[in-house]
Amino acid sequence: MPFWLARERRGQHSDWIPRFDPRFWTVNFPRPMMASVVSTAHDALRVDCSFHHEGELAGLIWESEDRLDHPLLAYATQRDYARCILRFRWRSGGILALDGPNGPTLTIEGRDASGNPRSWYVRLWNYASGSPTDAQVELRFSQLQSGYFLPGEAIHPGDIDRMFISLVPTGYVEGSTALLPARVDGWAEMSAIECQGERAMLAIGNVLIPPHGEHIASAYDDSFNQTPARLLRAIEGLGYRERIVHYVGMSHYFRLEPLGAGHYVSLAGGVLNDPCAAWHRAFAAEAKARGFTVIWSLSYELFDAHCWNDWKQRAHDGSPALTGWVPPSALLSPAHAGAMGYLRQVAAAFVQIAVEAGMPVQFQIGEPWWWMQPGSYAPCLYDAAAQAAFGGNPPVIADMRQPLDPAQLALLDQAGALLAQSTAELAQAVRDAAGGVAQVRLLAFTPTLLDPQVPELKRANLPLGWAWPAFDRLQLEDYDWLTQGADGARRAALAEIDQRLGYPIDRQDYFAGFVPLADNAEAYWPRIDRALDEARRRGVTQRFVWALPQVARDGYTRLPMMEEDMQAFDDVAWPLALGRDAAVSPEFSTSVAVTASGHERRNALWSDARMRYDVGPGVRAEQELATLIAFFRARHGPARGFRFRDPFDHSSNGMTGVPGPADQLLGIGDGAAARFQLSKLYGEQCRTITRPEVASIHVSVDGLEASSWSYEDGGWIVLAEAPPVGAEVRAGFLFDVPVRFAEDRLDISGTAFAAGEAPSVPLVEIREDA
């Protein structure tokens, strides 16, 4: 499907927003505190905060440059605030009031008139009228002064990068790491936000891509700092509709209780912390208003610093199951009653938000598994709860790559049964919280579950207890294999999961992604986009892109496929025999610039020749003429393409020879890729073949003819296993040329035809995407 990586707006629709639009403020704060911001009206926002330490501070931020939105949706960068006025009403509770030391202060970061980096600190109380917790604030940027008292140092308003209002708890002590006597929950509201003066409005991208059939995934851990309205505006603008998989994360939703020098997840006072609950209520309401259904996603993963030690999976040597993120998260043990009970209550809390929003309950159990330690391949089956569940002294598995004895295999089967039981109990908790009606999906990550180095791991992590119809839908993701080009492994995994779990194709979802680093965008996004098309062709009706932050960062823009793109080619052959007098014309496009001295500069615009034919000389009899006219009408003239066998060049062996398996080099094995494009070499020039005669194809790997391969539309050969590094992949084949009629009109003179003069019937080759 058409897509591109948009880097900037070039003529696409735009609009205007008031500067300081509530939807585009963000928050930031240190762990373990929590804060969120939501827009509550077109001119209002609210920040909620939970503080645990005396020195914690949250910032409510306005950026002069939009670094978070997709390039087609971002607001224009404007760093000049001279002669600009910001007015708003301020209300707050639980945080230091406007009049106190360390009360709400506007920190301005930018450069002075000489271009030197500077920060200024503007006390809001100096520009407020009213009470310390309910006041009107007016900020005239050309007159603002920094300092606790006025007069102070004048700020330079002409070159500002960002500004933020600081929010601190009652009981704040600057720089202190001491615990507050009790958690402080605070809030602040800005309403009647108004910007006047110069540059009071900002241009903003306002694209609304028509629905393209794909869905989007989001993650609270990556978007907690933004308003829900901002995220949903982007999702809708980029053409995603109907469903959003929203991963509630592993690091920002929980309440915490202090213990020793740390904080640990807690159910004291509720399940979700107040900022998270406020954000998700706003997210659900906004999603419902825009016609989206949210699929709430919860994993068996918690931020390690706040996870109880006995909840963590552990390897045989006692080492905890930690991910490679920095800082790491920990995997929860499916055997631990407390950990699993906690997850069930978290799930119920999010289900309640969906119910209150009037939204149908859909839920995803995301990547539930027994962790395997990277490097050592040691499975984490040995936390105390798991050991007790496995009989008290389970056999040790130190490396899943090594041969396993019957007792070790039985342990893996036990672990799989326990994992299946835990997911079934979580699914039931979701249904109970929803009043009995809910759709529950399971998400599985095939590169880990079906890693060929550890063939028995599926006993524990792909248990038969998950087989259809244990869940309403099965969701699959193969990110690492996809972006590395390991097509053979991807296809083998899909086949194995079909055989093992048996979910009908209309009950399977597919996740395409992901691009952790911006440097990988150019290489990864084409593969991700192609995988979405591949899943559609397999019959997968619900396809998701992981994830919104990467889509926005890299400008990934998927466009709808038009009906004519899908149906513009009829896979039928030219119906008439051709004589040797048919005309064949390869053509290139070359720009030639002649200098004043007569020298030429030539630029080849095409990398491959485009073929033209005149097949009229082959039409001799009246019956053939009737066939031609009927075929022309059926194609609507040049509107629809068809196959044409070039009488002079239609084989991989020379021009017209019998094809053999070693004719054309398709590629060199790298141990991962199993998908190779058919092509034919003409010296150094390579021609892509998209319309082979499938029955004629012969494939060889490293000199031996291969039988375990399949054909994929567009001229692709897919081997059952990736060829080893350095192996030559070759093929032989017959092929047709995709063509169309060159003209809208077919001119035939009855008199001339009767006199033996053949009509002119020009055809032109169609460039096809492989």
Side-chain angles (χ1 to χ4, degrees):
M1 185 177 290
F3 83 97
W4 95 97
L5 300 183
R7 302 305 186 190
E8 60 183 351
R9 215 162 50 249
R10 293 183 178 178
Q12 290 83 15
H13 282 289
S14 62
D15 200 351
W16 296 89
I17 59 168
R19 202 173 206 173
F20 304 111
D21 186 310
R23 294 172 295 174
F24 299 97
W25 290 74
T26 61
V27 291
N28 203 359
F29 48 88
R31 299 183 189 276
M33 76 161 291
M34 180 59 195
S36 70
V37 56
V38 301
S39 52
T40 55
H42 75 279
D43 61 352
L45 61 82
R46 177 184 170 101
V47 183
D48 287 278
C49 304
S50 289
F51 301 95
H52 297 280
H53 294 93
E54 291 178 344
E56 289 174 343
L57 177 151
L60 174 61
I61 304 165
W62 178 264
E63 296 263 8
S64 297
E65 178 184 359
D66 187 345
R67 297 182 296 171
L68 296 174
D69 281 302
H70 189 283
L72 300 183
L73 293 164
Y75 59 79
T77 299
Q78 180 54 263
R79 292 186 169 86
D80 189 352
Y81 292 78
R83 293 170 295 282
C84 180
I85 305 167
L86 171 62
R87 298 186 181 94
F88 55 88
R89 180 185 179 188
W90 176 270
R91 297 177 62 244
S92 64
I95 64 171
L96 280 184
L98 290 168
D99 63 338
N102 299 308
T105 298
L106 181 68
T107 298
I108 298 175
E109 298 174 343
R111 281 156 292 280
D112 62 20
S114 300
N116 301 309
R118 279 294 311 271
S119 295
W120 295 273
Y121 305 95
V122 178
R123 188 185 182 209
L124 292 187
W125 183 241
N126 290 338
Y127 299 92
S129 58
S131 76
T133 58
D134 188 348
Q136 297 290 330
V137 178
E138 180 174 290
L139 303 175
R140 295 177 175 265
F141 283 89
S142 290
Q143 301 173 17
L144 289 185
Q145 297 180 24
S146 178
Y148 191 79
F149 296 109
L150 295 180
E153 178 190 5
I155 74 158
H156 176 62
D159 196 0
I160 295 173
D161 290 326
R162 73 166 187 165
M163 57 190 75
F164 65 89
I165 300 173
S166 55
L167 310 173
V168 300
T170 53
Y172 176 77
V173 178
E174 185 174 1
S176 174
T177 59
L179 283 172
L180 290 162
R183 185 189 72 243
V184 173
D185 293 322
W187 58 273
E189 291 179 347
M190 293 171 63
S191 59
I193 299 172
E194 178 185 15
C195 185
Q196 292 185 345
E198 295 187 16
R199 293 168 291 278
M201 303 293 288
L202 297 176
I204 189 169
N206 192 36
V207 300
L208 187 62
I209 295 172
H212 43 55
E214 313 307 326
H215 310 293
I216 193 68
S218 63
Y220 188 50
D221 287 338
D222 296 323
S223 55
F224 63 87
N225 60 324
Q226 301 178 59
T227 67
R230 184 178 194 169
L231 298 175
L232 288 160
R233 171 185 178 268
I235 290 171
E236 186 174 44
L238 294 172
Y240 301 95
R241 298 291 190 276
E242 297 185 45
R243 300 171 188 87
I244 301 168
V245 165
H246 178 69
Y247 178 38
V248 302
M250 53 85 183
S251 62
H252 286 90
Y253 66 76
F254 35 67
R255 288 177 178 265
L256 294 172
E257 63 181 66
L259 180 67
H263 283 78
Y264 296 88
V265 297
S266 173
L267 294 172
V271 180
L272 308 178
N273 63 64
D274 290 349
C276 168
W279 192 95
H280 281 92
R281 283 193 293 268
F283 180 72
E286 179 80 9
K288 177 70 161 47
R290 291 178 179 263
F292 288 103
T293 293
V294 176
I295 303 170
W296 307 88
S297 170
L298 181 65
S299 72
Y300 281 41
E301 193 174 350
L302 272 181
F303 189 64
D304 179 60
H306 302 318
C307 182
W308 297 98
N309 281 324
D310 59 339
W311 287 14
K312 301 175 187 178
Q313 298 177 25
R314 294 184 182 274
H316 67 97
D317 60 0
S319 57
L322 301 181
T323 64
W325 302 113
V326 180
S329 53
L331 275 296
L332 301 179
S333 172
H336 196 284
M340 295 298 99
Y342 176 74
L343 283 187
R344 291 194 290 273
Q345 294 202 54
V346 171
F350 282 106
V351 167
Q352 185 60 36
I353 290 174
V355 170
E356 290 174 356
M359 187 178 290
V361 174
Q362 297 198 26
F363 199 87
Q364 179 205 81
I365 302 175
E367 297 179 350
W369 53 25
W370 294 98
W371 189 249
M372 184 174 60
Q373 300 282 28
S376 71
Y377 290 81
C380 293
L381 306 172
Y382 301 95
D383 57 273
Q387 291 193 61
F390 300 146
N393 189 30
V396 169
I397 303 176
D399 187 339
M400 283 295 302
R401 295 168 296 182
Q402 300 303 315
L404 303 177
D405 62 33
Q408 292 170 320
L409 294 177
L411 172 62
L412 294 174
D413 290 336
Q414 283 183 281
L418 186 57
L419 180 63
Q421 177 186 338
S422 74
T423 55
E425 291 171 350
L426 180 54
Q428 189 58 49
V430 168
R431 294 188 176 98
D432 291 344
V437 180
Q439 186 182 82
V440 181
R441 311 178 186 214
L442 179 92
L443 176 66
F445 183 65
T446 54
T448 293
L449 305 188
L450 296 175
D451 184 342
Q453 297 183 88
V454 288
E456 301 297 347
L457 184 64
K458 60 178 173 285
R459 292 174 178 264
N461 280 344
L462 201 64
L464 295 176
W466 284 353
W468 166 260
F471 300 95
D472 297 298
R473 301 188 70 87
L474 176 66
Q475 301 182 309
L476 300 175
E477 53 186 357
D478 54 14
Y479 304 149
D480 294 359
W481 284 342
L482 170 60
T483 54
Q484 293 167 9
D487 296 302
R490 294 177 59 233
R491 286 165 173 77
L494 291 174
E496 183 164 1
I497 284 179
D498 283 347
Q499 189 277 330
R500 186 172 177 85
L501 299 185
Y503 282 78
I505 194 65
D506 63 350
R507 294 295 184 129
Q508 293 185 31
D509 301 346
Y510 179 68
F511 280 63
F514 81 140
V515 188
L517 301 175
D519 290 346
N520 300 136
E522 296 289 343
Y524 285 6
W525 282 113
R527 296 171 184 170
I528 292 168
D529 192 83
R530 187 178 69 217
L532 293 169
D533 291 337
E534 174 193 285
R536 175 177 53 81
R537 289 192 296 268
R538 286 195 294 112
V540 177
T541 58
Q542 296 185 30
R543 303 169 300 276
F544 297 82
V545 180
W546 179 273
L548 181 61
Q550 296 165 6
V551 167
R553 180 199 66 201
D554 298 335
Y556 173 68
T557 310
R558 188 162 166 96
L559 301 176
M561 179 178 288
M562 306 304 292
E563 183 178 357
E564 60 192 51
D565 295 330
M566 299 171 63
Q567 301 180 356
F569 192 92
D570 296 331
D571 199 23
V572 297
W574 172 251
L576 299 174
L578 293 173
R580 303 291 288 184
D581 49 355
V584 178
S585 305
E587 67 171 346
F588 284 92
S589 178
T590 308
S591 66
V592 180
V594 181
T595 67
S597 63
H599 290 85
E600 292 182 351
R601 298 191 181 279
R602 296 173 298 280
N603 181 32
L605 303 179
W606 296 349
S607 62
D608 188 8
R610 188 184 195 193
M611 301 301 297
R612 287 184 176 271
Y613 304 92
D614 190 342
V615 295
V619 181
R620 295 299 183 184
E622 288 190 8
Q623 183 58 45
E624 291 178 339
L625 182 61
T627 300
L628 168 62
I629 293 172
F631 192 78
F632 182 82
R633 292 176 69 91
R635 307 287 82 73
H636 296 270
R640 306 175 76 84
F642 54 92
R643 286 175 175 262
F644 178 76
R645 181 66 55 94
D646 186 328
F648 304 105
D649 183 9
H650 57 257
S651 174
S652 59
N653 179 8
M655 304 298 277
T656 60
V658 177
D663 288 350
Q664 299 290 328
L665 178 64
L666 306 186
I668 304 296
D670 61 4
R675 188 171 181 263
F676 297 87
Q677 174 70 54
L678 292 179
S679 59
K680 182 178 180 180
L681 288 174
Y682 299 80
E684 297 181 354
Q685 194 257 326
C686 184
R687 179 183 191 179
T688 298
I689 305 300
T690 61
R691 298 285 171 175
E693 182 183 310
V694 177
S696 73
I697 300 174
H698 297 271
V699 180
S700 66
V701 177
D702 226 12
L704 299 176
E705 185 160 2
S707 58
S708 298
W709 59 270
S710 59
Y711 175 76
E712 187 176 285
D713 287 348
W716 290 94
I717 299 300
V718 182
L719 297 164
E721 295 184 2
V725 175
E728 286 191 349
V729 180
R730 291 180 169 270
F733 45 85
L734 300 176
F735 63 92
D736 295 323
V737 181
V739 299
R740 62 171 174 81
F741 288 102
E743 298 175 358
D744 282 306
R745 189 172 66 185
L746 189 61
D747 292 323
I748 299 174
S749 168
T751 301
F753 185 75
E757 182 178 332
S760 176
V761 184
L763 308 179
V764 62
E765 183 179 3
I766 299 170
R767 296 283 200 210
E768 288 192 305
D769 292 329

